[in-house]
Amino acid sequence: KQHFGITYKHLFKLDKKNMAKADLQETLIYNAVDTKYTLRLWHVQNALLKKRGLLNAYREALPREPTVALMQHFGIGVDQKEVKFNQQMLDTEIKDIQKEIAGLKVVKKFVADKGEFNPMSDKQAVIIFRDYLNYPQVLVDTKTLLDFDKPSKAKKKVHTGEAPEEKYSVDKNVLAQIPHPLADLIIRLRNSIKNKSTYADVFEFGKGKFIWPDGKIHT
């Protein structure tokens, strides 16, 4: 569409996600059109590569493509023992940090008053830093904040209900300015939980979203 002004694939009714069951005659015509426009596109892109001085970089990358395709097809094995080891290591790390947090005097006071403290709750973190520890850093300039429904998650704002016109934040940048062990522990806890979910749990066979039924990664 970018180079020729048309999109031809929508002209064909066959199910491109299930080509094995598609009509052979229509598939052959579809493949012919696909090949024709791929060839035309190659000529256009080849000229652009020359014009932009990228032809050598293209030729450098081209021989690697069969290897990439084979890697995608055959998959990359994942050592499930190593996955379990990392899950257990990070789980222990998370529990140790949670234990440290629970042992802080201010957290014990909060729990006595409120019943429980969830260090991953932004609202509870705001209350404990603002009302129990009296750190003004959690009250931030509203002009620097972004709403939850915006694409960027650079900062979060928390409405606690007590003062709707005031905005509070307990993001990493705010917590880094607070000289209390709870702030550092919450940062560490967030990092450990993120590491476990991002770099360990996703590779667990039968559960992780990156592992296929054959136990491998297919990029």
Side-chain angles (χ1 to χ4, degrees), residues 31-48:
N31 286 344
V33 175
D34 194 14
T35 303
K36 176 182 177 180
Y37 275 94
T38 299
L39 179 60
R40 289 184 63 188
L41 183 61
W42 180 86
H43 286 292
V44 173
Q45 291 181 333
N46 198 52
L48 285 172

Side-chain angles (χ1 to χ4, degrees), residues 58-73:
Y58 164 73
R59 287 174 174 169
E60 183 79 18
L62 193 61
R64 300 177 186 144
E65 292 307 305
T67 303
V68 173
L70 286 169
M71 181 175 67
Q72 292 171 342
H73 175 74

Side-chain angles (χ1 to χ4, degrees), residues 131-145:
D131 300 341
Y132 284 73
L133 293 170
N134 299 313
Y135 281 109
Q137 289 92 332
V138 294
L139 178 60
V140 295
D141 180 4
T142 57
K143 293 180 181 178
T144 66
L145 288 167

Side-chain angles (χ1 to χ4, degrees), residues 86-103:
N86 282 288
Q87 284 179 315
Q88 292 170 2
M89 179 183 67
L90 288 165
D91 192 50
T92 300
E93 191 175 286
I94 290 167
K95 289 178 179 177
D96 288 344
I97 297 171
Q98 289 172 331
K99 188 176 180 180
E100 282 190 70
I101 290 173

Side-chain angles (χ1 to χ4, degrees), residues 1-12 16 30 33 37:
K1 186 175 182 180
Q2 178 184 346
H3 294 288
F4 308 123
I6 61 169
T7 55
Y8 63 85
K9 292 194 176 185
H10 74 280
L11 300 173
F12 296 87
K16 287 174 279 294
Y30 169 81
V33 175
Y37 275 94

Side-chain angles (χ1 to χ4, degrees), residues 147 201 209:
D147 290 330
D201 292 343
K209 64 179 182 178

